[in-house]
Amino acid sequence: MSLMQRLFNFRGGLHLDYRKDMSTRHPIRVAPVPPQLVLPLSQHAGAPAKPVVKVGERVLRGQTIAQPDGFVSVPIHASSSGTVVAIESRPIPHVSGLAAPCIVIDTDGRDESLPAPEWAPVDDFSALDAKTLRETVRRAGIAGLGGAGFPSFIKLSPGRSVETLIINGAECEPYISCDQQLMAERADEIVGGVQVILQAIGAPHCLIGVEDNKPDAIAALRAAAAQDERIQVRVVLTRYPQGGEKQLIQTLTGREVPSEGLPLDIGLVVHNPGTARAVYRAVRHAEPLTARIVTVTGGVVAQPQNFEARIGTPMQFLIEQAGGYVQPPGRLLMGGPMMGFALPSDALPVIKSTNCILAAAPGELRPDEAAMPCIRCGACQEACPVNLLPQQLYWHARGGEFDKTRALNLFDCIECGCCAQVCPSHIPLVQYYRHAKTEIWAEDREKRKADAARERHEARQARLEREEREKEEARARKKAQLAARKADADSSEAPPAAGATPADGTDDPVAAAIAAAKAKKAAAQTADGSAATDDPVARAIAAAKAKKAASTDNSNATTPADDPVARAIAAAKAKKAAAAAGGPAEAPVVRPRKAPPSDDAVAAAIAAAQARKAAKAAGTEPADAPPADDPVARAIAAAKARKAAAEQAQDAADPVAQAIAAAKAKKAAREATTAPASDDPVAKAIAEAKAKKAAKEATASDNADDPVARAIAAAKARKAAKDAAATPADDDPVARAIAAAKAKKAAREAADKPDGAS
Amino acid sequence: MRLSSPFLPVAASVGSVMRDVLLALLPGIVVYVLLFGPGVLRNIAIAVAACLLFEAIALWLRGRPLRPFLSDGSALVTGVLLALTLPPIAPWWIAVVGSLFAIGLGKQVYGGLGYNPFNPAMVGYVVLLISFPVQMTAWPALQPVWDSAPDAVSAATALDHVRTQLALDRTLTEISGDAAIGWAAGAGWEWIALAWLGGGLYMLWRGTIRWQIPAGMLAGLTLIALPFWAADPDRYASPLFHWLAGATLLGAFFIATDPVSAATTPRGRLLYGALIGVLVYVIRTWGGYPDGVAFAVLLLNICAPTIDRYTQPRVYGHTRRESEP
Ligand code: SF4
Ligand code: SF4
């Protein structure tokens, strides 16, 4: 082993009360098979898996019961034998506290494995190529066991040369000891996994970083890795958050992962020891990931310890295995006390990312308390391992100034909780940061939408102006020509009109005029077609416009019906316009998204036809809407209807739109669930700030020149005023909840506005 | 239910921070009493009572809960700090008026704890100094408890003495032998200053305050005092004199470090402290007032947001340049 063990350090961080020895008194125990397994389809980051078994089907241990859906996804395997009794939504352990689809298996106690594994075990994996290894890891359903649950095979396909593999054995959160015991008791399997991963990513060596409060783990790993000089065990200081990926990288290499980048950007790949072991077992023993080590601990657990538990085991079953509760728990957490999250109950399954179940006694953890104002003491800044300014972040997050939080590098925050831990005012800082991040993501989404809408709007505006201009020019030219014709009726040859292409070389000025008009129009149409890009709504609007233009032209033109020449011209033009607009009703109805590229005039016409149909749905409705008594309500209704119609027209064929709609629905659902829980002081504070801001914006936009926007603004102002009236009822949680919900709604509408206005 | 991590219990609270500050002030107060009699205790009692009363009234007027904000200790600390800046022989109402302005104008009008841009005690002090210059500049002579023959007369402070004597064209070398100067910077006052220093070091050790502001302030003061003193020690007092005279050490550890009104970034705090140090020297040497700590602190309070803006730390994973605003 190299003597060169220079360690670096990350800034900030904390010494915490680790309380790990509670759960390390017993060796890891293999938990029995529970009577029922609940396997969520989404246990990893990315798309949920798709079930491939049916209710009533018998499954065996290790059998694939759900297949990955998309690239960032992994399969799920039955963790024991039994019968699938349900595929339905069940509560899962997730920050959101929501339910999600799960496969429920009633076990039969026989724990029967597949007769033959789904792939072949390999003794000497050094002969395997990287691709096979990755595929095996994927098929084994391995997702990062450290907590984030990112599909591991992706990190095995770096797509560039990797300098060093880092195994993150710095389990720095208090209470959790699953990695520690795994390293101490299964070091050889971890080292085996390291060797597989090195092989797969083609890295020359590996650093295993272990905190100095885990001497057993260090000794075991050193012994196991003694034969492989590529692998070094590095002892690092016990300091929270040493196990943060970025912090451990800094400690071991002295380098920093670039902001918003990945360790891979500096030639590093980081894995968790549990993941390494799972990789080993998948390759060497052809075992999919059906179990993991889980720490069951906390002041109310009779015998805190680590279990090797089947994925899907109900948490209360594991707690019973640990002797049950000695008293009712004050709080249940999944993960550690610094970064874990509260669980509503213990009737939730162990999933691939469940590293710890913490059942704390009342008073063991932080009591509920009101936060005091920030006194700007700077304790948070000193503790922040990322060198952010938590106090300023808090200030702006609280005020709803999310753009400022972003400028203060909010997105570099690793949510380690150091700042909140040292804050003498007991402000739930991390909660504010999470909230701000969520808001910014939502805003970004809305902004992207709004940008698209604005572009559509501007394109339309430009087109309208151009059309108007051209119509004027054409009319002027027509008049001039008619005058000229009358003047020189008999003798003179009228010179071709400027810009007109002499049609068929004819010297008939009328024909020339018609030709000129046609050419102009065609050119315009082509231009229109290409301007309409591939956006169906823009196309729809264009088509509607064109049709309308055509009909007005028609009526204009038919008035001077006694002039045959004018009539002829008008007719020609109308025909042309109709054709361009897709006039014939029997034009093929193709879905807008599939419209051919519009640089071809015919294609443009077809596209226009399709679009016209959409336009009927999208464009006409608001104009026809019966005038309600309240002009504001009317304006809003119209704008909303238009928006809804536009979305409708757009959605069916467009998966992106669908996804956004789904996300929006989800968000709405989430907000609906969280809003009543508005005794949450953070939500309340931010909601208040937002309501105020909305009111301000509403008044500010009064001078907008778009009547719809103005109407909405006015309505919003009214609403904000109502909210403002509601907010002084500060002490009443119901009133507060309502105010918060209202403010959120106002904010949403504010974000929608650009759409409505276009 | 607490909705978000971290869930570990915390040790510190605003109250515990304030208690630490009071504890750190204790040695200085004891020395003060020993050398100048119990006048300062009377001032402390009056100012603390008045501060708490005005705080309670303001909270009540603003419809805020009384208990958490009265028990956080911040009004208490303001009262004590204000009292420590008052002459021990000042009339009782001085402390009351000062408290009114400190709590009312210095703190509550801005929204109370955490929102005041200025150091409340210094607001109170400056209002008093401007309004009642006579009462605010009458300082007692050294009157140690072990000296049984008290003569209860007022005496000029070292800063005052130096100022008036320099104006009479005496050199500092001549002045330094005067009784008012003591062994370094004012008979008796030097000891109190050293006790403040001790308390400050205690707070540093406890982590109650961070080192940047006191270090910056003392460094700033030293760096500007040193060249002048080296060039002309007859006209310009030594850095040691400036350290121990007036409110330098009390200011460096207890006043400039008031976190609410100070800069918050680490580099910003260093700069903030240094500029206070420089200003203190400038005001003492060329300004119209004998001491400059209060004015310097208030002036820098104004600059704190700007200083913060230009001293953002380099964030993990960012290069230095992109972190600058
Ligand atoms: S630790 Fe808390 S009180 Fe202190 S500056 Fe940070 S947020 Fe404010
Ligand atoms: S939670 Fe974010 S801001 Fe707070 S200490 Fe951790 S990284 Fe810094």
Side-chain angles (χ1 to χ4, degrees):
Chain A
M1 189 181 317
S2 154
L3 285 176
M4 198 209 72
Q5 285 231 348
R6 177 162 149 65
L7 289 181
F8 305 83
N9 240 326
F10 64 92
R11 86 173 293 281
L14 299 173
H15 287 285
L16 299 173
D17 180 4
Y18 288 93
R19 307 182 194 175
K20 285 177 192 273
D21 44 359
M22 281 167 90
S23 52
T24 55
R25 283 181 216 122
H26 309 276
I28 297 174
R29 211 177 103 206
V30 177
V33 178
Q36 192 175 66
L37 293 164
V38 178
L39 293 144
L41 294 174
S42 181
Q43 305 185 26
H44 47 262
K50 274 195 308 219
V52 293
V53 290
K54 283 194 241 1
V55 175
E57 196 172 327
R58 181 170 146 78
V59 292
L60 298 174
R61 177 177 187 189
Q63 182 181 335
T64 304
I65 55 172
Q67 283 290 4
D69 189 12
F71 180 68
V72 186
S73 187
V74 291
I76 291 166
H77 304 82
S79 31
S80 186
S81 62
T83 311
V84 177
V85 292
I87 300 177
E88 62 185 22
S89 221
R90 293 270 180 118
I92 62 163
H94 189 266
V95 205
S96 68
L98 292 179
C102 300
I103 298 177
V104 185
I105 299 172
D106 272 351
T107 56
D108 54 18
R110 282 185 272 167
D111 201 20
E112 208 176 311
S113 297
L114 284 178
E118 289 182 345
W119 61 91
V122 179
D123 279 338
D124 181 15
F125 45 78
S126 59
L128 288 184
D129 62 302
K131 194 159 164 281
T132 315
L133 291 173
R134 286 196 285 267
E135 198 44 41
T136 305
V137 168
R138 181 172 208 198
R139 292 183 68 185
I142 301 173
L145 298 185
F150 192 72
S152 299
F153 78 94
I154 296 175
K155 285 212 257 176
L156 295 190
S157 336
R160 56 159 283 176
S161 74
V162 177
E163 205 172 290
T164 307
L165 166 67
I166 290 177
I167 298 295
N168 186 347
E171 191 175 40
C172 59
E173 274 239 31
Y175 287 97
I176 309 179
S177 62
C178 58
D179 287 354
Q180 176 176 346
Q181 284 205 291
L182 184 75
M183 291 186 287
E185 297 181 29
R186 315 267 204 275
D188 45 346
E189 294 188 341
I190 295 172
V191 169
V194 166
Q195 290 162 339
V196 174
I197 299 172
L198 284 176
Q199 168 98 7
I201 61 177
H205 69 274
C206 167
L207 295 175
I208 305 181
V210 187
E211 278 184 316
D212 58 7
N213 62 352
K214 307 172 180 51
D216 294 357
I218 295 164
L221 284 169
R222 286 205 162 136
Q227 301 307 315
D228 192 337
E229 76 284 354
R230 294 175 302 169
I231 305 172
Q232 286 178 32
V233 179
R234 292 272 170 95
V235 181
V236 299
L237 280 182
T238 302
R239 190 154 57 108
Y240 182 83
Q242 185 69 264
E245 188 170 79
K246 294 177 168 182
Q247 281 61 45
L248 188 65
I249 286 174
Q250 194 172 21
T251 304
L252 291 177
T253 68
R255 283 186 287 169
E256 295 180 9
V257 180
S259 174
E260 290 172 45
L262 292 171
L264 193 57
D265 297 339
I266 51 172
L268 304 172
V269 168
V270 184
H271 280 284
N272 167 272
T275 311
R277 181 205 180 213
V279 165
Y280 173 78
R281 296 207 65 91
V283 172
R284 180 70 183 72
H285 300 291
E287 266 181 29
L289 180 63
T290 56
R292 66 156 296 144
I293 316 293
V294 182
T295 305
V296 177
T297 188
V300 299
V301 177
Q303 291 136 29
Q305 57 188 296
N306 280 287
F307 289 102
E308 177 152 12
R310 312 288 168 126
I311 309 293
T313 303
M315 291 178 179
Q316 81 257 57
F317 179 82
L318 272 192
I319 288 165
E320 280 158 27
Q321 295 300 311
Y325 298 123
V326 294
Q327 71 181 96
R331 177 167 285 143
L332 273 173
L333 301 181
M334 180 167 124
M338 294 300 286
M339 294 182 76
F341 54 91
L343 296 175
S345 85
D346 57 8
L348 296 165
V350 166
I351 60 172
K352 291 176 182 175
S353 53
T354 307
N355 49 2
C356 179
I357 302 165
L358 173 52
E364 184 175 352
L365 298 179
R366 184 191 287 237
D368 299 330
E369 65 213 328
M372 295 287 284
C374 167
I375 55 168
R376 304 178 16 119
C377 64
C380 49
Q381 207 282 325
E382 233 170 30
C384 179
V386 185
N387 211 5
L388 294 169
L389 295 168
Q391 171 264 331
Q392 294 190 12
L393 281 174
Y394 157 70
W395 185 261
H396 295 304
R398 187 168 186 275
E401 300 164 315
F402 300 122
D403 44 338
K404 293 208 177 125
T405 63
R406 187 190 289 221
L408 285 165
N409 302 309
L410 173 69
F411 284 96
D412 289 302
C413 168
I414 58 170
E415 300 183 12
C416 65
C418 288
C419 49
Q421 190 59 36
V422 296
C423 175
S425 290
H426 304 175
I427 301 167
L429 294 167
V430 183
Q431 207 170 325
Y432 279 100
Y433 307 152
R434 290 200 188 114
H435 197 116
K437 285 182 186 174
T438 319
E439 292 286 339
I440 291 175
W441 286 324
E443 257 172 38
D444 278 358
R445 262 199 312 276
E446 297 289 344
K447 189 166 168 298
R448 278 196 296 275
K449 261 173 57 189
D451 282 350
R454 205 192 44 242
E455 275 162 27
R456 285 201 296 271
H457 180 72
E458 280 166 3
R460 185 189 120 200
Q461 219 58 37
R463 199 166 44 243
L464 288 182
E465 278 164 23
R466 199 175 53 231
E467 279 170 5
E468 197 50 46
R469 212 170 45 236
E470 280 160 7
K471 240 184 291 171
E472 287 299 322
E473 280 170 13
R475 263 189 221 122
R477 217 173 22 245
K478 210 160 58 189
K479 265 192 204 148
Q481 279 166 3
L482 287 174
R485 198 180 71 94
K486 274 180 187 150
D488 315 312
D490 324 290
S491 55
S492 81
E493 285 182 3
T501 344
D504 312 319
T506 179
D507 45 13
D508 175 5
V510 179
I514 294 173
K518 269 184 186 173
K520 248 302 174 34
K521 194 85 191 178
Q525 290 300 338
T526 318
D528 264 0
S530 37
T533 61
D534 49 1
D535 180 351
V537 173
R539 274 206 309 266
I541 295 170
K545 279 275 118 69
K547 213 171 67 166
K548 199 164 152 235
S551 67
T552 31
D553 261 10
N554 247 339
S555 55
N556 277 353
T558 34
T559 334
D562 41 1
D563 180 358
V565 178
R567 225 169 34 223
I569 294 173
K573 252 166 70 182
K575 233 207 287 190
K576 185 84 194 174
E586 62 274 19
V589 179
V590 189
R591 290 195 151 159
R593 288 304 290 190
K594 290 184 188 146
S598 45
D599 42 5
D600 164 6
V602 177
I606 295 173
Q610 296 153 1
R612 198 172 53 121
K613 208 171 152 230
K616 228 189 270 169
T620 55
E621 196 180 328
D624 301 342
D629 292 342
D630 176 358
V632 174
R634 209 170 52 216
I636 293 175
K640 268 195 194 150
R642 220 195 307 173
K643 198 185 150 214
E647 270 170 11
Q648 213 180 353
Q650 212 172 1
D651 66 2
D654 183 0
V656 176
Q658 257 163 22
I660 293 176
K664 256 171 55 186
K666 246 192 252 168
K667 197 181 151 218
R670 207 169 45 232
E671 275 171 3
T673 28
T674 51
S678 226
D679 43 3
D680 168 7
V682 175
K684 195 190 126 209
I686 294 177
E688 274 170 16
K690 269 202 334 216
K692 253 187 244 163
K693 212 172 140 212
K696 230 190 306 175
E697 274 169 8
T699 17
S701 58
D702 260 351
N703 49 6
D705 42 13
D706 179 337
V708 176
R710 222 163 42 216
I712 294 177
K716 257 175 28 194
R718 251 194 335 193
K719 190 130 167 242
K722 237 191 291 171
D723 287 351
T727 29
D730 242 353
D731 296 338
D732 175 3
V734 177
R736 218 161 52 204
I738 294 173
K742 271 192 193 155
K744 259 189 215 156
K745 202 168 147 228
R748 239 192 347 256
E749 273 170 7
D752 284 346
K753 186 176 63 182
D755 259 359
S758 74
Chain B
M1 182 191 250
R2 192 180 169 81
L3 292 155
S4 169
S5 57
F7 297 97
L8 273 193
V10 282
S13 67
V14 176
S16 73
V17 170
M18 295 299 171
R19 264 195 302 283
D20 263 348
V21 174
L22 290 176
L23 206 61
L25 283 168
L26 210 57
I29 295 174
V30 169
V31 175
Y32 207 140
V33 172
L34 289 179
L35 294 178
F36 291 93
V40 64
L41 290 182
R42 186 203 53 153
N43 274 347
I44 289 175
I46 296 172
V48 164
C51 280
L52 287 175
L53 178 70
F54 293 132
E55 178 101 339
I57 292 173
L59 287 170
W60 178 74
L61 287 176
R62 293 175 52 225
R64 297 273 143 172
L66 292 194
R67 214 177 53 86
F69 287 102
L70 281 183
S71 61
D72 65 24
S74 60
L76 202 69
V77 168
T78 300
V80 174
L81 285 177
L82 176 67
L84 291 176
T85 62
L86 305 178
I89 52 176
W92 65 271
W93 50 265
I94 283 282
V96 176
V97 173
S99 302
L100 176 63
F101 281 100
I103 295 295
L105 191 65
K107 182 175 177 187
Q108 289 292 343
V109 291
Y110 300 104
L113 178 69
Y115 295 94
N116 45 303
F118 298 107
N119 185 314
M122 290 305 100
V123 171
Y125 171 80
V126 164
V127 169
L128 289 175
L129 186 64
I130 292 169
S131 317
F132 310 103
V134 178
Q135 288 85 346
M136 285 297 287
T137 48
W139 293 87
L142 186 63
Q143 210 173 24
V145 281
W146 55 85
D147 187 344
S148 51
D151 12 53
V153 284
S154 66
T157 63
L159 286 168
D160 273 332
H161 189 72
V162 165
R163 172 177 292 270
T164 46
Q165 296 302 312
L166 279 177
L168 296 174
D169 272 346
R170 292 182 70 199
T171 67
L172 276 171
T173 328
E174 294 161 2
I175 299 169
S176 65
D178 296 358
I181 300 299
W183 56 263
W189 299 107
E190 316 116 331
W191 295 108
I192 300 176
L194 288 176
W196 300 143
L197 176 64
L201 295 178
Y202 164 80
M203 288 197 296
L204 281 178
W205 171 71
R206 288 274 299 163
T208 314
I209 57 169
R210 274 135 267 284
W211 61 272
Q212 286 93 343
I213 291 177
M217 175 167 161
L218 296 176
L221 181 61
T222 309
L223 285 180
I224 185 169
L226 202 60
F228 282 104
W229 174 66
D232 188 356
D234 273 346
R235 279 200 52 78
Y236 298 102
S238 70
L240 180 70
F241 175 87
H242 281 289
W243 273 51
L244 295 178
T248 307
L249 288 169
L250 182 69
F253 289 99
F254 294 93
I255 293 170
T257 51
D258 163 45
V260 177
S261 53
T264 57
T265 65
R267 282 190 298 146
R269 288 183 156 168
L270 212 52
L271 181 64
Y272 173 87
L275 291 176
I276 291 180
V278 170
L279 265 182
V280 165
Y281 185 84
V282 169
I283 295 172
R284 279 179 181 177
T285 311
W286 298 288
Y289 286 92
D291 203 351
V293 173
F295 293 106
V297 167
L298 291 178
L299 277 173
L300 263 294
N301 286 165
I302 299 173
C303 309
T306 315
I307 293 177
D308 277 348
R309 195 169 132 55
Y310 289 101
T311 52
Q312 307 275 324
R314 185 193 71 89
V315 172
Y316 180 107
H318 288 260
T319 53
R320 169 63 74 186
R321 193 164 293 112
E322 65 180 288
S323 287
E324 304 274 333

